[in-house]
Amino acid sequence: EDTAPEAVFEATVAADERIEPRDWMPDGYRSSLVRQIAQHAHSEIIGMQPEANWITRAPSLRRKAILMAKVQDEAGHGLYLYSAAETLGTSRDALLDKLHSGRQKYSSIFNYPTLTWADVGAIGWLVDGAAITNQVPLCRCSYGPYARAMVRICKEESFHQRQGYELLLTLSRGTEAQHAMAQDAVNRWWWPSLMMFGPPDDESAHSAQSMAWKIKRHSNDELRQRFVDICVPQAEALGLTLPDPDLTWNEERGHWDFGPIDWTEFWDVLKGNGPCNKDRITRRRQAHEDGAWVREAAAAHAAKQREATR
Ligand code: 3HC
């Protein structure tokens, strides 16, 4: 049987087995994984900002404790993902430099503001819900460290989604003003959540190759449709409406038809013109500078440990 590295790589991927860090892999496979995993990690870290905005103003100790746990989880997700990216031979510092200088992206969704407490619920239900729909298939990605990081992340995302759903249900069944606040948040977060799945398949630069390498297991549009199908009955259970008058059940397709997405808005936000792009990056750079002393202390401590065990 052909033992040339390319052939072994192809056979491993074809057999739905895992490529591990020490295995030979095409340069393009390596660089596309660094690109995707790094941007995924950046999304987790930046995603802490919109929600952290409400930790000091949570309406009860219980809600505050849940929100703090969730924001801490996002930091942990960033940690697993930067570690997975490092197995491909890149350093965390290099990836953070790329984020801070705008040479790498983070998910468009985090460039929208969290205007009311209900946004915390809409983010949990819709944004973490979309993340689960997109990330469960990534547990079967061909690259071992990424797939394994996803298994734990998906478990924690389920808690994130449930707490958001429960928060919205409480508001929806509350006073009229609370119901209106929940509906307003869903109206603002629905379309940007659909954009999380990426551009339409025919405008997706990476999908074909990413699916051939079994990194991406389903196309952007397929997962977006799956997410809409999940959300429609959940919105009904919440007693809230989705802001899309074109939403109709299509018996033939067995899916919900939905209205056109504003792709001009999507590409505009990716270009840096979303409502919060500048704030998010400014806060991120500031946090990185403020945290320099922690990194230096940890590095000095590690060096002493190494010295002591020499
Ligand atoms: N926001 C920002 N950039 C996006 C985007 C979005 N919503 N959707 C697509 N893009 C970018 C892609 O990164 C690519 O740009 P690049 O070449 O500079 O990387 C370009 O738009 C073209 O898109 P493609 O469809 O060709 O790119 P991909 O094949 O990489 O598909 C993806 C995009 C579906 C987001 C895929 O990268 C992916 O599945 N990534 C892992 C999941 C992830 O990153 N999720 C972030 C959501 S936030 C989150 O999970 C945190 C949780 O706590 C909510």
Side-chain angles (χ1 to χ4, degrees), residues 3 24 40 46 56 62 75 84 89 100 122 161 166 169 176 194 199 241 268 280 293:
T3 55
W24 181 90
H40 195 161
I46 298 280
T56 56
R62 173 173 173 265
H100 299 156
Q161 196 270 356
E166 192 249 346
L169 189 60
E176 245 176 66
L194 297 191
T241 55
D268 221 15
R280 301 290 186 237
W293 70 273

Side-chain angles (χ1 to χ4, degrees), residues 84-109:
E86 283 171 336
T87 65
L88 289 158
T90 180
S91 79
R92 189 166 319 192
D93 289 347
L95 298 179
L96 283 169
D97 278 350
K98 288 203 173 115
L99 170 66
H100 299 156
S101 60
R103 282 177 291 135
Q104 274 186 341
K105 299 178 168 75
Y106 57 89
S107 187
S108 51
I109 192 70

Side-chain angles (χ1 to χ4, degrees), residues 35-36 39-40 43-44 74 105-108 110 127-128 131 134-135 138 146 157 195-199 204-207 216 220 266-267 270:
R35 170 191 66 83
Q36 175 164 334
Q39 294 184 145
H40 195 161
S43 304
E44 302 282 2
E74 310 297 9
K105 299 178 168 75
Y106 57 89
S107 187
S108 51
F110 296 123
V127 175
D128 290 86
N134 161 280
Q135 288 166 21
L138 284 171
Y146 193 29
E157 290 294 357
M195 297 176 196
M196 285 171 69
F197 292 92
S204 168
H206 302 289
S207 283
K216 184 179 278 189
N220 296 358
F266 172 78
W267 293 113
L270 259 63

Side-chain angles (χ1 to χ4, degrees), residues 50-298:
E51 295 186 301
N53 186 27
W54 285 92
I55 288 178
T56 56
R57 292 177 279 173
S60 69
L61 180 61
R62 173 173 173 265
R63 291 288 180 201
K64 186 188 186 109
I66 292 173
L67 183 53
M68 282 174 76
K70 178 176 190 301
V71 173
Q72 282 168 345
D73 280 353
E74 310 297 9
H77 295 175
L79 196 61
Y80 310 148
L81 290 163
Y82 285 127
S83 303
E86 283 171 336
T87 65
L88 289 158
T90 180
S91 79
R92 189 166 319 192
D93 289 347
L95 298 179
L96 283 169
D97 278 350
K98 288 203 173 115
L99 170 66
H100 299 156
S101 60
R103 282 177 291 135
Q104 274 186 341
K105 299 178 168 75
Y106 57 89
S107 187
S108 51
I109 192 70
F110 296 123
N111 289 310
Y112 293 85
T114 42
L115 302 177
T116 74
W117 170 252
D119 287 38
V120 174
I123 288 176
W125 176 45
L126 294 173
V127 175
D128 290 86
I132 292 170
T133 306
N134 161 280
Q135 288 166 21
V136 165
L138 284 171
C139 297
R140 289 184 294 111
C141 153
S142 57
Y143 187 59
Y146 193 29
R148 289 188 291 271
M150 279 297 104
V151 173
R152 177 161 173 189
I153 287 179
C154 286
K155 286 196 174 80
E156 292 171 346
E157 290 294 357
S158 306
F159 144 63
H160 297 174
Q161 196 270 356
R162 295 312 302 155
Q163 64 82 34
Y165 181 90
E166 192 249 346
L167 191 158
L168 282 182
L169 189 60
T170 309
L171 289 176
S172 176
R173 290 178 176 170
T175 63
E176 245 176 66
Q178 287 174 323
H179 182 92
M181 191 164 70
Q183 185 59 64
D184 162 61
V186 169
N187 292 346
R188 283 185 286 107
W189 287 93
W190 173 246
W191 292 106
S193 299
L194 297 191
M195 297 176 196
M196 285 171 69
F197 292 92
D201 291 349
D202 55 8
E203 290 174 44
S204 168
H206 302 289
S207 283
Q209 182 61 72
S210 187
M211 289 177 85
W213 279 329
K214 294 191 184 174
I215 296 171
K216 184 179 278 189
R217 305 308 305 259
H218 300 278
S219 80
N220 296 358
D221 288 330
E222 208 181 321
L223 289 181
R224 194 179 350 261
Q225 178 66 67
R226 188 179 293 181
F227 178 64
V228 172
D229 293 346
I230 290 168
C231 287
V232 173
Q234 287 181 347
E236 272 157 39
L238 281 168
L240 298 171
T241 55
L242 295 171
D244 178 0
D246 297 331
L247 262 180
T248 338
W249 176 251
N250 182 320
E251 194 49 45
E252 220 175 287
R253 283 194 327 121
H255 293 290
W256 284 88
D257 290 338
F258 54 95
I261 292 174
D262 180 350
W263 292 113
T264 322
E265 177 181 330
F266 172 78
W267 293 113
D268 221 15
V269 173
L270 259 63
K271 272 206 292 280
N273 307 322
C276 302
N277 294 54
K278 289 183 188 42
D279 310 13
R280 301 290 186 237
I281 280 295
T282 311
R283 284 280 300 278
R284 173 86 283 279
R285 285 197 198 104
Q286 190 55 53
H288 193 68
E289 275 156 41
D290 293 351
W293 70 273
V294 177
R295 292 191 298 277
E296 282 149 26

